[in-house]
Amino acid sequence: MYLSTSRAADIAADPPAPKGPRRGPLRAVPGTVLALGMVSLVTDVSAEMVTAVLPLYLVAGLGMSPLAFGALDGLNQGATALLRLIGGRVSDRTQRRKLVAGTGYAISAACKAALLAVTTPWSVAAVLAADRTGKGLRTAPRDALISLSCPPGEQGRAFGVHRALDTAGALLGPLAAFGVLWVAVDGYAAVFTVSCCFAVLGVLVLALFVRESPAPAPAAEAPAVRALLRIPGLRRLCLTAAVLGVFTVGDAFLYLLLQRRMELPAAWFPLLAVGTAGVFLLAAVPMGRLADRLGRRRVFLGGHLLLCGACLLLLAPVPPGPVLLCGVLGLLGLFYAATDGVLMAAAGPLLPAGLRTTGLAVLQTAQALARFAGSLLFGAAWTLWGPGAALAAAAGGLLLALTAAAALAGRGTAEEDGSPSAG
């Protein structure tokens, strides 16, 4: 009733290539995408300054066990789940996506200031959980603003440009943290202070430069989540993201394993994220364009195959050196480029404008809950079996999940094309 699902799914799988002369990637997208990209760039500088130092600080500095760190990492993933749905539902009811997103950014900025006042591992964890709720509140409205600003055939490129700008912040954040730790006497407090300043700047950029397009009048009664899941293409995307999310090893774990293999000094640990972000930055727009041409589900599945390759490379008897370092960080960066914005680009055309934020929030929630469970399982496996066995189990599980997801995607294509198996 809300959208022709077969047609929308065809667009998401193999959208038509945009017509007309090609221009540079930044000139080919609306101003809303560029403004939101700058907001994400500044905010990611803030977030990644903190993220870059936390794994080593909590595990090596404060003695947190891998199981406890897995619970904390999973909490960071899962704390956003409920707020994603709330943010999406409020945004669609009120059609005030910018206001809801801005509230989420403001919460995260306040949490950066709160980090200066907490000193124990679990008080830090509580502040990080609150920060993640801010992220959960803002993510779906922000992605809906991007999706609604461009036609279906250009969704991959638009999200690619946004994620490239976002990743520029992820690239600069660890560098800023490294620089602060290098020169500051009280390094961690200085990192949190500078991070808070960048977070406040992100809120100001959103308020001053992001413009929300006119939207239809709010629906009198928003449909239930299960009504959205009756859209076949969205339901399949949620299942695919959840199945793969359970076996997605968090980059913090991979950085800890790589740091052990390479025997890197603690001061250099934040720079591991810089390598990943650099590859993500270079590949985000090309991957978005590739997804627009070849099909977004194919690129999304291929990205998880790259993540599996990064896990296997860490397990292989490769001597510590440039091959291991560049291989793991390169594959991890390509994984993010092929999955992050591509998943939202695949879902956007499936959803009508008045329900787009809620639909994207449902998809993001399914992925966040799966990754929450995956972080807990990986942390427990590391504690019980050791890092090598845990990583091998995760890689094997991811390969099995990819097989199931590919079969699900193939069945969905057959149904959408009207084959006899449909129904």
Side-chain angles (χ1 to χ4, degrees), residues 367-388:
Q367 186 179 55
L369 289 175
R371 289 187 174 181
F372 170 67
S375 290
L376 288 176
L377 290 172
F378 189 82
W382 184 334
T383 301
L384 294 173
W385 305 334

Side-chain angles (χ1 to χ4, degrees), residues 266-293:
W268 293 89
F269 183 82
L271 297 184
L272 294 177
V274 174
T276 299
V279 176
F280 189 177
L281 174 63
L282 294 174
V285 175
M287 281 290 187
R289 288 177 170 175
L290 184 67
D292 283 339
R293 294 190 183 116

Side-chain angles (χ1 to χ4, degrees), residues 318-413:
V318 180
V323 173
L324 179 64
L325 180 67
C326 296
V328 171
L329 298 183
L331 288 169
L332 189 58
L334 289 172
F335 157 70
Y336 281 117
T339 56
D340 190 6
V342 170
L343 181 62
M344 296 299 102
L350 298 171
L351 301 161
L355 300 174
R356 192 156 303 183
T357 316
T358 304
L360 294 179
V362 169
L363 176 57
Q364 293 165 0
T365 297
Q367 186 179 55
L369 289 175
R371 289 187 174 181
F372 170 67
S375 290
L376 288 176
L377 290 172
F378 189 82
W382 184 334
T383 301
L384 294 173
W385 305 334
L391 192 60
L398 185 56
L399 285 174
L400 292 176
L402 275 168
T403 303
L408 182 65
R411 179 187 172 194
T413 301

